[in-house]
Amino acid sequence: MKVYIDGKFYDEAKAKISVFDHGLLYGDGVFEGIRAYHGRVFKLKEHIDRLYYSAKAILLTIPLTPEEMTRAVVATCKKNGIRDGYIRLVVTRGIGTLGLNPNRCKRGSVIIIAGKIQLYPPELYENGMEIVTVPTTRNLHSAVNPAIKSLNYLNNILAKIEANTAGVEEAIMLNAEGYVAECTGDNLFVVKAGQLHTPPLYAGALYGITRGVVMELAAAEGVKVSETNLTRYDVFNADECFLTGTGAEIIPVVKVDGRVVGTGKPGPLTRTLVAKYHALTQTSGEPIR
Ligand code: PXG
C-alpha cells in the first residue's frame, strides 16, 4: 500500500507523521471516510465539500484547493489499484509546539489512505442487527458541534465502548434533551406507516452523505421523508429501522434495547432501499483513472 502524505507517496511502513503534529497531540484536525465502488469514487464531491466545511468550522486552512484534493484522492486510489475500497482522508493542524495554540502550527498536513473496510459481519445485513441506547450523549452544538467530522471522536468512541460492553456492534446516542441523535458512526432511520423518519441535523446528527442519498432514493420511490425529533419510544414502535453510513451502507436494525422492532426481520422498505443504494454505487461516482 502507498500512502499519500503532503504530496508524496510512502510505503505503508514509512508512512509516518511527527509526534508534534497537533492531530495526534490534541485531535486537532478533520477527516472523511469515502468508498470506491466499481472503479469510481462514490459521492466524492459531497465528501470533499464536507471536509472543507468541517475545516472551516475549526479555522483550519487546508493546504490544497478542493480541486487539488479531488485529484489527490483519485491519484491515491489509482496508485493503489483500488477499484472497490475505502479511502480515509485526514487533514491535521500540522506540526506545532507543545501547548495547544494552533497558531504555532505552520501548515496543515494531508494524509490519504486507500484500503479496505468491513464494519459489520455479513450476517447482520441479512438478519438485521441488535443495538442499544448508551449513556454517553452526543456533544452539544455549543461545544464541539457534532456536524464537524473532527479527529476528536472520543464522544463516539465512548459510546462504541458502551455498545461493545452491552454485547452489540452499534449504539443509539441521544442528545442532551433525550431525543435520538444518531449512532456512533451511522445515521438512524425509522419507517412508520409507510413514511420514512430520521432525526433532523439539529438533533445532533452528522450531515451524513449516505443519509442524504437514502432520503433522495426514498423520495424517488414516492415515499414521504420527514426530518423530525424521535424518541426511543418512536424507535421501539417503528415498523422498520435501519442505519446508514459510508462504511456500513444501509444496515437493518431488528432489536433496540431488548424490544423487537417491527417483525424482527429486515423490512420491505429497508430491502428496497438497500437494492437501490447498491445499484447506485455501481453506476455513479468519480472515475479512477
Ligand atoms: N454519523 C457519524 C458520527 C459518522 O461518523 C455517519 C454518521 C455517516 O455519515 P456518512 O457521510 O458516512 O454517510 C458517520 C460516518 C468508521 C467509519 O471507521 C465511520 C464512518 C464512515 C466510515 C467509516 O467507523 N462514519
Side-chain angles (χ1 to χ4, degrees), residues 185-250:
D186 302 300
N187 290 107
L188 180 141
F189 284 84
V190 296
V191 180
K192 184 73 176 176
Q195 292 190 14
L196 200 54
H197 305 274
T198 191
L201 300 171
Y202 62 74
L206 186 79
Y207 292 32
I209 288 159
T210 319
R211 175 185 183 273
V213 172
V214 164
M215 288 166 80
E216 280 174 17
L217 290 174
E221 285 294 292
V223 174
K224 192 162 176 261
V225 186
S226 81
E227 296 179 68
T228 182
N229 266 329
L230 298 173
T231 63
R232 290 169 69 227
Y233 172 93
D234 298 316
V235 181
F236 299 156
N237 291 296
D239 300 328
E240 301 179 31
C241 177
F242 61 83
L243 311 180
T244 65
T246 296
E249 303 179 320
I250 301 174

Side-chain angles (χ1 to χ4, degrees), residues 33 47 50 86 88 117 119 138 149 153 156 182-187 206-211 244-247:
H47 283 283
R50 188 171 65 185
Y86 177 74
R88 172 58 56 92
I117 196 170
L119 282 190
R138 207 73 179 96
K149 207 163 162 61
Y153 247 49
N156 310 55
E182 60 173 344
C183 291
T184 69
D186 302 300
N187 290 107
L206 186 79
Y207 292 32
I209 288 159
T210 319
R211 175 185 183 273
T244 65
T246 296

Side-chain angles (χ1 to χ4, degrees), residues 138-168:
R138 207 73 179 96
N139 284 329
L140 294 171
H141 292 107
S142 50
V144 180
N145 193 312
I148 303 169
K149 207 163 162 61
S150 84
L151 291 182
N152 208 309
Y153 247 49
L154 263 184
N155 182 234
N156 310 55
I157 290 165
L158 290 176
K160 186 68 117 181
I161 291 169
E162 288 161 353
N164 293 343
T165 305
V168 296

Side-chain angles (χ1 to χ4, degrees), residues 10 28 88 90 93 106 127 132 142 147 167 218 229 237 246 276:
Y10 297 85
D28 188 353
R88 172 58 56 92
V90 182
R93 188 76 68 177
K106 285 200 185 67
N127 305 324
V132 296
S142 50
N229 266 329
N237 291 296
T246 296
K276 299 267 169 209

Side-chain angles (χ1 to χ4, degrees), residues 12-228:
E12 208 170 317
K14 291 195 173 138
K16 293 179 180 167
I17 60 152
S18 166
V19 294
F20 296 102
D21 192 304
H22 280 209
L24 173 71
L25 289 175
Y26 301 109
D28 188 353
V30 294
F31 79 104
E32 278 298 321
I34 312 170
R35 286 283 278 269
Y37 297 96
H38 210 67
R40 292 165 186 265
V41 185
F42 190 60
K43 297 287 164 193
L44 182 54
K45 182 180 187 314
E46 287 78 355
H47 283 283
I48 298 281
D49 285 349
R50 188 171 65 185
L51 181 80
Y52 282 78
Y53 295 144
S54 291
K56 182 169 189 174
I58 69 163
L59 291 116
L60 168 63
T61 305
I62 298 181
L64 298 178
T65 65
E67 294 70 31
E68 288 167 340
M69 187 67 86
T70 302
R71 283 198 290 276
V73 168
V74 172
T76 307
C77 290
K78 199 172 162 199
K79 189 98 180 164
N80 287 283
I82 296 281
R83 304 274 306 156
D84 293 270
Y86 177 74
I87 302 137
R88 172 58 56 92
L89 181 46
V90 182
V91 185
T92 73
R93 188 76 68 177
I95 295 171
T97 53
L98 295 177
L100 58 82
N101 196 341
N103 297 345
R104 306 285 151 76
C105 305
K106 285 200 185 67
R107 193 174 192 273
S109 262
V110 177
I111 301 162
I112 309 172
I113 311 166
K116 293 273 167 215
I117 196 170
Q118 170 71 69
L119 282 190
Y120 303 123
E123 56 269 21
L124 292 185
Y125 288 87
E126 218 21 69
N127 305 324
M129 81 192 305
E130 177 177 357
I131 60 174
V132 296
T133 311
V134 291
T136 297
T137 58
R138 207 73 179 96
N139 284 329
L140 294 171
H141 292 107
S142 50
V144 180
N145 193 312
I148 303 169
K149 207 163 162 61
S150 84
L151 291 182
N152 208 309
Y153 247 49
L154 263 184
N155 182 234
N156 310 55
I157 290 165
L158 290 176
K160 186 68 117 181
I161 291 169
E162 288 161 353
N164 293 343
T165 305
V168 296
E169 298 264 357
E170 185 52 298
I172 294 180
M173 300 182 77
L174 305 176
N175 61 26
E177 287 181 291
Y179 291 111
V180 173
E182 60 173 344
C183 291
T184 69
D186 302 300
N187 290 107
L188 180 141
F189 284 84
V190 296
V191 180
K192 184 73 176 176
Q195 292 190 14
L196 200 54
H197 305 274
T198 191
L201 300 171
Y202 62 74
L206 186 79
Y207 292 32
I209 288 159
T210 319
R211 175 185 183 273
V213 172
V214 164
M215 288 166 80
E216 280 174 17
L217 290 174
E221 285 294 292
V223 174
K224 192 162 176 261
V225 186
S226 81
E227 296 179 68
T228 182

